[in-house]
């Protein structure tokens, strides 16, 4: 369980500028983004290999901006997380 606590510390709070997102937190890596959702608190990893370079880079930008990430995932990458 200590490992999970450590991992959670790596996550950054998602700003959610419009207060309408299902995204709670995120973590940006070189070739991936991890997204934690409010309802389940599960963390999903979207990587270059699972979701494509362009989608991951778009998601990184939206995460840092703090708006639009949940909608983007729902429209483009919902099932493209690393399994």
């Amino acid at each position: 369980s200590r490992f999970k606590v450590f991992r959670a510390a790596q996550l950054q709070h998602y700003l959610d500028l419009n207060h309408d997102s299902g995204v709670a937190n995120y973590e940006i890596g070189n070739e991936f983004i991890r997204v934690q959702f409010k309802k389940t608190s599960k963390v999903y990893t979207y990587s270059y290999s699972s979701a494509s370079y362009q989608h991951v880079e778009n998601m990184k930008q939206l995460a840092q901006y703090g708006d639009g990430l949940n909608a983007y995932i729902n429209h483009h990458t919902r099932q493209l997380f690393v399994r």
Side-chain angles (χ1 to χ4, degrees):
S1 62
R2 271 186 264 158
F3 180 71
K4 283 187 178 177
V5 172
F6 176 73
R7 290 298 309 144
Q10 304 292 317
L11 296 173
Q12 292 181 272
H13 180 69
Y14 181 66
L15 286 178
D16 188 13
L17 297 175
N18 294 338
H19 308 290
D20 62 353
S21 182
V23 174
N25 302 293
Y26 68 93
E27 177 190 350
I28 288 177
N30 286 337
E31 298 187 6
F32 66 85
I33 181 170
R34 289 193 177 99
V35 180
Q36 184 177 41
F37 294 93
K38 291 177 183 173
K39 281 186 181 175
T40 64
S41 76
K42 285 185 180 176
V43 178
Y44 293 87
T45 300
Y46 300 87
S47 70
Y48 284 178
S49 57
S50 74
S52 86
Y53 168 85
Q54 195 59 62
H55 281 317
V56 170
E57 290 302 313
N58 290 344
M59 291 166 69
K60 287 180 185 182
Q61 285 190 326
L62 293 169
Q64 290 173 313
Y65 177 63
D67 189 48
L69 181 56
N70 195 70
Y72 189 92
I73 291 170
N74 284 336
H75 291 309
H76 300 288
T77 60
R78 186 179 208 127
Q79 299 299 323
L80 301 181
F81 54 89
V82 175
R83 285 174 170 78

